[in-house]
Amino acid sequence: MDVFLNLLLSVIRLCTPIFVAGLGNMFCERVGVLNLGAEGMMISGAFMAVLGSYMTGNAWCGVLCGILGGIAAGGIHALVCVEFGGLHAISGLGLTMFCRGVTKFLCVAIFGSTYSPYVSALQTTDILAKLPMAGSYLAQLSPLVYAAILLGIGAHYIVFHTTYGLRMRALGDDPRAVETAGIDVWKMRYSGVLICGALCGLAGAYMGLGQLDRYFDGMISGKGMIAVIAVKMGNWSPLGIFLTALLLGLFDVIQLKLQISKTLALSPEMLAMIPYLAGIAVLCMKRKQGSRPTALDTVYLRNRYKL
Amino acid sequence: MEYAVEMRHIRKQFRTVVANDDVSLAVRPGTVHAVIGENGAGKTTLMNILYGLYLPDAGQILIDGKERHLRSATDAISCGIGMVHQHFMLIPRLSVADNVVLGSEPKKGLRYDRQAAAEAVARVCREYGLSIDPKRPVREISLGMQQRVEIVKMLYRGANIIILDEPTAVLTPQEIDELGRTLSQLKKRGKTILIITHKLEEVMDFSDDITVLRNGRHVVTVPKAETDIPSLTAYMVGRDIHLGGQKQETHFQGSVLEMQNVSYRRDGREVLKDISLTVRKGEILGIAGIDGSGQTELTELIAGVLPCDRGSVLYQGEDVTRRSIAQRKATGIAFIPQDRHKHGLILDFSVEENLLLGMQRKSQFIRRRFLQDRKAIHQMAENSIQDFDIRPADSANKASALSGGNQQKVIVAREVGNQPTLIVADQPTRGVDIGAIESIHDILVRHRNVGGAVVLASLELDEVMMLSDRIAVMYDGRIVGILSAAEATREKIGLMMVGRVSETEVPQ
């Protein structure tokens, strides 16, 4: 029982960043912007969160800084893709490389190494410890995990039950139809990309302050890319993304356990490939497009830039 | 008198192209006003300006006598202007009600009130006598109904001035009649309607006043009662036009093409079901049907673009079912595809290169076994440009710089220049101006007169009826029946197009 619950806790810990970043990407893709910059937004979020916590000594201020860091990175992507009609894939990949470089530079410049010192973090939720039965387990999770669950429910409500969600779903399918309905396509697209930046920033902050209590170069290690895949596998719905994130988190736990137990005589780098291979395998099996926004990855320019 | 819409001295330039030059338009309230002209005459640009999608470079717009600056669709909507675009602005995945209210949704707090939306849509439908189920997803309803959804969308927003851009292009004859009734309903309730079209029969049926544009300029505005189709054509083109070519007596001898029980599946759905037909020498076989009934797949299958899943295709007695496009082309099957931009031309290539496409391996264009014979190619291109009157007459021009009609002439020149036996044409005159239609009709009929065979798929019923010797009507991937030109009437074909075969009909 204890083994099982501990395993479950590990899965939840590892799936949370994928889930939160996946939610962000869902907003971005639902307004028609592909975001391969999720990785960069998460790197920016993680670094800014740790830096914020380091400067203020308050982990919650750190989380706020992380979210702002993600929004800043999202702002670059929005400017390139929404305002100036750049190619989404190129902008996203460029953003990731840019964030990787800038954070490494700042990390060395501020902390004098590619590792930050330990900072105050949010690894446990102590107030839940007093609850009967599961309290001792629930307290072992970061408060950000609970925030993620609330965000998931909120996202579901927004997408399927509000006018903003209706407009967003319409925009992902046909920006021209939305513009002629008298809706500001660009404001909507900006909002989607910036929400994505905020959520990716939060996911990064969770990795820096919820899973660990420091920042080091390369710590995001592809989680942002996994989140992009999770959106497709989760069929652009919060619930689907949650289930996908759980699955991918499980694979992550399995590979970590295998690394520690050394039952398989494989190098840790080979084992680390397991969650990614699982992601690719599932993508190959999933042929149907499902709720894929049909106008995903399309450039839609304002009148003044046309011809 | 106060006009509902008045546009004064509108000018709009796109880079070097002047789309509207000093165009003025005045529409009386409560009337149907038609704006007609050839492709590229500037009709759609003018309407997009009125709907706020383009800003004019010069000129004034007055709505109900007050000057307005329309900077976006939102501005236009708030002035009571609604536009139904040629390509419907509907989201297939969403329901009818969602589509209608998009942009001005009923709310309960933060929540989108679906129930209220459905009720509001039902109310508008009742008021104007339109039948639509608000809860069905748009992807499941017919094109005619989608158009009604678009009109309801405008009415829901309280539009008093409704612009319809080419509203009949995708409709069956019955749906066109229905549209006519809807328009007169709207007129009765005091709505002002602007309708863009190039189909003159409809202009005469629907409208009160008619404005003609040519080359971005205003030619004339006349009340319908004072004009007729021939003089409107003359205004549009600037000269007399004769469509339909000069048909001569031919003897239908021997079959050129025979299809036996051909089926084709896509995504697990049969888009062609058990097709059998014969095309004889010296005849034009027309293929009629509403958009998406399988006509495009049928023509692509004959040309070899798509493979058969079942059945066989015989060409001049030989089984060509498994032959490639190139092999079919070499034995005399010419193909004019529906989408000239995607499948007919390489837009970034020059006219000369486009005229060569598919024939680059022919011995007369090759020297020393693997080099292009530039001189011969250039000569061929110059000849084609001359023979088919492609304008501007410059073989080095990029295909993308040509007008739609001239692009189509490049394709026709290439395919016909190859001396084919069978021409397979899928909507060869779609989106082409009337001058080019005249010459394309002429080419197809001349090919038939000298004993060639033509398969002509078209959504324009008039075109099919004017040119064909026999007409095959398709519905839902099936040939519902084949009529001879003598027994074909609009009504008969119209019913067959929606799958209703009358009892008198004997399918071949």
Side-chain angles (χ1 to χ4, degrees), chain B residues 424-435:
Chain B
V424 184
D426 188 10
Q427 298 189 45
T429 58
R430 190 173 89 147
V432 160
D433 59 63
I434 196 156

PDB file of all heavy atoms in Angstrom, chain B residues 424-435:
ATOM      1  N   VAL B 424     -10.578  15.763 -70.498  1.00  0.00           N
ATOM      2  CA  VAL B 424     -11.325  15.667 -69.246  1.00  0.00           C
ATOM      3  C   VAL B 424     -11.217  17.020 -68.560  1.00  0.00           C
ATOM      4  O   VAL B 424     -10.117  17.445 -68.204  1.00  0.00           O
ATOM      5  CB  VAL B 424     -10.736  14.577 -68.328  1.00  0.00           C
ATOM      6  CG1 VAL B 424     -11.588  14.434 -67.080  1.00  0.00           C
ATOM      7  CG2 VAL B 424     -10.644  13.256 -69.065  1.00  0.00           C
ATOM      8  N   ALA B 425     -12.345  17.709 -68.426  1.00  0.00           N
ATOM      9  CA  ALA B 425     -12.299  19.058 -67.864  1.00  0.00           C
ATOM     10  C   ALA B 425     -13.190  19.137 -66.637  1.00  0.00           C
ATOM     11  O   ALA B 425     -14.359  18.779 -66.686  1.00  0.00           O
ATOM     12  CB  ALA B 425     -12.754  20.077 -68.913  1.00  0.00           C
ATOM     13  N   ASP B 426     -12.612  19.579 -65.523  1.00  0.00           N
ATOM     14  CA  ASP B 426     -13.389  19.723 -64.291  1.00  0.00           C
ATOM     15  C   ASP B 426     -13.570  21.207 -64.026  1.00  0.00           C
ATOM     16  O   ASP B 426     -12.620  21.903 -63.695  1.00  0.00           O
ATOM     17  CB  ASP B 426     -12.644  19.037 -63.143  1.00  0.00           C
ATOM     18  CG  ASP B 426     -13.479  18.986 -61.875  1.00  0.00           C
ATOM     19  OD1 ASP B 426     -14.686  19.299 -61.945  1.00  0.00           O
ATOM     20  OD2 ASP B 426     -12.928  18.632 -60.825  1.00  0.00           O
ATOM     21  N   GLN B 427     -14.760  21.692 -64.206  1.00  0.00           N
ATOM     22  CA  GLN B 427     -15.102  23.102 -64.003  1.00  0.00           C
ATOM     23  C   GLN B 427     -14.107  24.043 -64.683  1.00  0.00           C
ATOM     24  O   GLN B 427     -13.498  24.874 -64.026  1.00  0.00           O
ATOM     25  CB  GLN B 427     -15.141  23.426 -62.514  1.00  0.00           C
ATOM     26  CG  GLN B 427     -16.183  22.643 -61.782  1.00  0.00           C
ATOM     27  CD  GLN B 427     -16.334  23.134 -60.363  1.00  0.00           C
ATOM     28  OE1 GLN B 427     -16.395  24.334 -60.135  1.00  0.00           O
ATOM     29  NE2 GLN B 427     -16.377  22.233 -59.438  1.00  0.00           N
ATOM     30  N   PRO B 428     -13.958  23.890 -65.993  1.00  0.00           N
ATOM     31  CA  PRO B 428     -12.921  24.672 -66.679  1.00  0.00           C
ATOM     32  C   PRO B 428     -13.202  26.169 -66.686  1.00  0.00           C
ATOM     33  O   PRO B 428     -12.289  26.949 -66.928  1.00  0.00           O
ATOM     34  CB  PRO B 428     -12.943  24.097 -68.100  1.00  0.00           C
ATOM     35  CG  PRO B 428     -14.316  23.553 -68.267  1.00  0.00           C
ATOM     36  CD  PRO B 428     -14.715  23.043 -66.925  1.00  0.00           C
ATOM     37  N   THR B 429     -14.438  26.576 -66.411  1.00  0.00           N
ATOM     38  CA  THR B 429     -14.738  28.013 -66.490  1.00  0.00           C
ATOM     39  C   THR B 429     -15.012  28.614 -65.117  1.00  0.00           C
ATOM     40  O   THR B 429     -15.509  29.720 -65.012  1.00  0.00           O
ATOM     41  CB  THR B 429     -15.956  28.273 -67.398  1.00  0.00           C
ATOM     42  OG1 THR B 429     -17.069  27.553 -66.873  1.00  0.00           O
ATOM     43  CG2 THR B 429     -15.691  27.831 -68.810  1.00  0.00           C
ATOM     44  N   ARG B 430     -14.680  27.858 -64.051  1.00  0.00           N
ATOM     45  CA  ARG B 430     -14.955  28.373 -62.713  1.00  0.00           C
ATOM     46  C   ARG B 430     -14.114  29.617 -62.430  1.00  0.00           C
ATOM     47  O   ARG B 430     -12.896  29.620 -62.614  1.00  0.00           O
ATOM     48  CB  ARG B 430     -14.639  27.307 -61.668  1.00  0.00           C
ATOM     49  CG  ARG B 430     -15.138  27.701 -60.309  1.00  0.00           C
ATOM     50  CD  ARG B 430     -14.955  26.564 -59.354  1.00  0.00           C
ATOM     51  NE  ARG B 430     -13.644  26.649 -58.740  1.00  0.00           N
ATOM     52  CZ  ARG B 430     -13.414  26.250 -57.495  1.00  0.00           C
ATOM     53  NH1 ARG B 430     -14.364  25.721 -56.785  1.00  0.00           N
ATOM     54  NH2 ARG B 430     -12.215  26.356 -56.994  1.00  0.00           N
ATOM     55  N   GLY B 431     -14.755  30.650 -62.006  1.00  0.00           N
ATOM     56  CA  GLY B 431     -14.048  31.858 -61.625  1.00  0.00           C
ATOM     57  C   GLY B 431     -13.297  32.508 -62.773  1.00  0.00           C
ATOM     58  O   GLY B 431     -12.289  33.163 -62.578  1.00  0.00           O
ATOM     59  N   VAL B 432     -13.798  32.306 -63.993  1.00  0.00           N
ATOM     60  CA  VAL B 432     -13.120  32.836 -65.173  1.00  0.00           C
ATOM     61  C   VAL B 432     -14.037  33.876 -65.798  1.00  0.00           C
ATOM     62  O   VAL B 432     -15.258  33.721 -65.775  1.00  0.00           O
ATOM     63  CB  VAL B 432     -12.844  31.666 -66.135  1.00  0.00           C
ATOM     64  CG1 VAL B 432     -12.596  32.148 -67.534  1.00  0.00           C
ATOM     65  CG2 VAL B 432     -11.676  30.840 -65.636  1.00  0.00           C
ATOM     66  N   ASP B 433     -13.493  34.937 -66.347  1.00  0.00           N
ATOM     67  CA  ASP B 433     -14.376  35.975 -66.883  1.00  0.00           C
ATOM     68  C   ASP B 433     -15.031  35.542 -68.190  1.00  0.00           C
ATOM     69  O   ASP B 433     -14.617  34.581 -68.834  1.00  0.00           O
ATOM     70  CB  ASP B 433     -13.640  37.309 -67.039  1.00  0.00           C
ATOM     71  CG  ASP B 433     -12.456  37.160 -67.948  1.00  0.00           C
ATOM     72  OD1 ASP B 433     -12.661  36.848 -69.124  1.00  0.00           O
ATOM     73  OD2 ASP B 433     -11.317  37.331 -67.476  1.00  0.00           O
ATOM     74  N   ILE B 434     -16.035  36.275 -68.575  1.00  0.00           N
ATOM     75  CA  ILE B 434     -16.927  35.789 -69.632  1.00  0.00           C
ATOM     76  C   ILE B 434     -16.232  35.708 -70.993  1.00  0.00           C
ATOM     77  O   ILE B 434     -16.512  34.824 -71.797  1.00  0.00           O
ATOM     78  CB  ILE B 434     -18.211  36.654 -69.691  1.00  0.00           C
ATOM     79  CG1 ILE B 434     -19.297  35.951 -70.484  1.00  0.00           C
ATOM     80  CG2 ILE B 434     -17.930  38.029 -70.221  1.00  0.00           C
ATOM     81  CD1 ILE B 434     -20.678  36.411 -70.115  1.00  0.00           C
ATOM     82  N   GLY B 435     -15.255  36.586 -71.219  1.00  0.00           N
ATOM     83  CA  GLY B 435     -14.501  36.523 -72.471  1.00  0.00           C
ATOM     84  C   GLY B 435     -13.739  35.211 -72.580  1.00  0.00           C
ATOM     85  O   GLY B 435     -13.722  34.557 -73.623  1.00  0.00           O
TER      86      GLY B 435
END
